[in-house]
Amino acid sequence: MPDIRRLVIEAGAVRAGVVTLGPVDSYAEELYRNWLAEGRHGEMGYLEKYAEVRHDPRLLLEGARSMIVAAFNYYGGEPEVSQPLKWARYAVGRDYHEEVRERLGRVAEAITAATGAQCRVTVDTAPLRERYWAVKAGVGFLGINNQLIVPEAGSWCVLGEIITTLELEADEPDTRNCLGCMRCVKACPGHALDGHGGMDARRCMSYLSIEKKYHEDDEALMPRLGDRIYGCDICQEVCPHNSCARATEIDNFRPRPSVIGLTREDILGMEQSEFSRIFTHSAIKRAKLAGLQRNARAAGEGEAATRPE
Ligand code: SF4
Ligand code: SF4
C-alpha cells in the first residue's frame, strides 16, 4: 500500500486528509436544504440537483469507502506587473480544475496500479459538499467568512478529492472555530455574511460577478463593483488566519500578466476570439465574454458600494 498522504503532498497539496465515506449528517443536510429553501443560492440552480448524491457521496463511485481530500495553495503573492483591475486570486493563474485534476489524477493512477482499487477524482466537478468533507478529513476548519481555513496556509486554497474503493484509516476532523473577530462580516461590501457562518450568495460580489448569468434587463441592478472585475476576496483579505499565507509553489497558479494586465477598456473592446485565446485555460471563462463586459461596465461606474436593498 503506498503512503497516500505523502503522494498527495508530493503532488503539490499543502495539506491532505482521509475520511471514511457515509451520508452527510442530518444537521448539515438540514442547514443546506434551508439555505436552498430561502433562495440564498440565487440562480445557482445546479446546487438543487442531485440532492441524493450530494448527501451521500458513496453514490459517486460504486463500492466507494474512503475519500482523500487535498488542499492546494493558489496564493500568488503580490503581482509583479501593473494590475489595473482586481481579480479573484484563484482565477488569475491556470484553471484550478485542470491543474488539480492532473495532479490528483496521477495519484489516483498510482493508487490503482498499486492496489487495484477504483478511484474517482473530483475538483469542484461533482455534487459534493467539499468543505464539509474537508473538515471531516481534518484538512481545515470553517470560518465565519464561509471559507475553509487550512492551518499554516490560510484560506487561499482550492480543494480536490479522490474517492476510492480502498478502505483507508481516517483522520480526525478539525472541529476548531475561527477567531470570531467579525472583520469579514464588517468588511463585506454586500452584507452577504450573517455572522454565523452563513452566506447569502445573492448579496455576494463573487456570485454577482461570476455565477449570475448575464441578463441585459437586470444590468441596472448590478452593484457598483469599483475596480473589482471578477470575484471578490475581501472576506479573505481581512481574515487574520491569512497572515500566514505564502506564495504558492505551483508555478501554473501564479498570476498571468495576460490576465492581470487587462484594463477595463481592453475588456470592453474585446472580441470573442481574443477572450477565448486569453481565457482558454482559465477559470474566468465561466463568466463568458458578455458577463465580463457587464462587470467592466459596472466597474466603471464609481467606487464599490453595497447592492441596492
Ligand atoms: S466574497 Fe466579497 S461580497 Fe462575497 S461574502 Fe466575501 S466579502 Fe462579501
Ligand atoms: S475574519 Fe475573523 S470572523 Fe471572519 S473568518 Fe477570519 S477569523 Fe473568522
Side-chain angles (χ1 to χ4, degrees):
M1 169 84 75
D3 182 342
I4 292 170
R5 290 172 187 79
R6 184 177 59 75
L7 288 179
V8 174
I9 298 297
E10 285 174 357
V14 288
R15 200 166 171 100
V18 171
V19 60
T20 302
L21 285 179
V24 169
D25 67 54
S26 54
Y27 179 68
E29 182 175 346
E30 190 185 337
L31 275 182
Y32 186 81
R33 287 191 197 282
N34 289 344
W35 186 73
L36 291 178
E38 290 162 12
R40 291 199 279 165
H41 58 310
E43 293 178 15
M44 295 184 282
Y46 61 88
L47 295 176
E48 298 167 16
K49 294 182 181 162
Y50 307 112
E52 202 184 345
V53 182
R54 198 177 301 279
H55 293 110
D56 191 346
R58 292 174 298 184
L59 299 173
L60 288 166
L61 177 72
E62 193 176 345
R65 291 180 173 166
S66 311
M67 179 159 60
I68 303 137
V69 183
F72 292 81
N73 175 20
Y74 62 77
Y75 182 73
E78 292 315 308
E80 291 170 4
V81 298
S82 156
Q83 183 177 336
L85 297 165
K86 286 202 176 98
W87 305 79
R89 286 182 184 272
Y90 79 83
V92 293
R94 187 187 183 202
D95 188 339
Y96 68 93
H97 302 93
E98 297 176 9
E99 186 70 27
V100 171
R101 175 172 288 282
E102 278 178 20
R103 288 169 180 267
L104 289 183
R106 290 195 289 272
V107 177
E109 281 170 18
I111 293 171
T112 300
T115 67
Q118 297 299 302
C119 293
R120 176 171 174 181
V121 175
T122 67
V123 187
D124 206 6
T125 47
L128 185 68
R129 305 276 301 272
E130 280 194 308
R131 280 169 288 180
Y132 170 89
W133 290 109
V135 170
K136 292 272 183 203
V139 172
F141 55 94
L142 293 175
I144 284 174
N145 60 1
N146 205 34
Q147 303 285 334
L148 183 82
I149 297 166
V150 179
E152 292 158 34
S155 64
W156 306 109
C157 292
V158 284
L159 294 171
E161 300 82 22
I162 303 173
I163 298 167
T164 177
T165 54
L166 267 187
E167 191 165 355
L168 296 168
E169 188 184 340
D171 289 292
E172 287 296 315
D174 191 335
T175 53
R176 284 174 288 182
N177 295 314
C178 74
L179 293 169
C181 67
M182 299 293 163
R183 284 189 205 172
C184 53
V185 176
K186 289 178 197 149
C188 174
H191 307 297
L193 300 170
D194 65 11
H196 305 284
M199 198 261 286
D200 188 336
R202 296 166 300 181
R203 292 175 162 271
C204 172
M205 299 293 187
S206 205
Y207 163 79
L208 290 166
S209 62
I210 300 172
E211 298 287 344
K212 185 164 170 42
K213 293 183 188 66
Y214 176 75
H215 306 298
E216 207 168 319
D217 294 348
D218 65 15
E219 195 157 314
L221 295 176
M222 279 297 289
R224 306 285 75 85
L225 294 173
D227 55 1
R228 281 190 293 278
I229 185 71
Y230 185 93
C232 168
D233 285 335
I234 292 174
C235 55
Q236 297 190 79
E237 282 164 358
V238 299
C239 178
H241 288 291
N242 278 335
S243 59
C244 62
R246 299 283 175 274
T248 180
E249 293 180 4
I250 298 176
D251 284 344
N252 282 338
F253 281 162
R254 293 196 196 281
R256 293 180 167 176
S258 61
V259 172
I260 63 171
L262 290 169
T263 64
R264 179 173 170 267
E265 290 69 31
D266 291 335
I267 292 165
L268 289 174
M270 196 173 273
E271 300 286 342
Q272 182 58 48
S273 57
E274 193 184 2
F275 178 85
S276 301
R277 179 176 58 75
I278 294 174
F279 297 113
T280 300
H281 295 291
S282 160
I284 295 167
K285 61 181 176 294
R286 185 175 182 85
K288 302 198 167 54
L289 177 58
L292 206 59
Q293 290 182 329
R294 169 201 62 189
N295 296 350
R297 283 189 288 276
E301 295 180 26
E303 292 301 305
T306 53
R307 188 170 186 236
E309 293 296 326

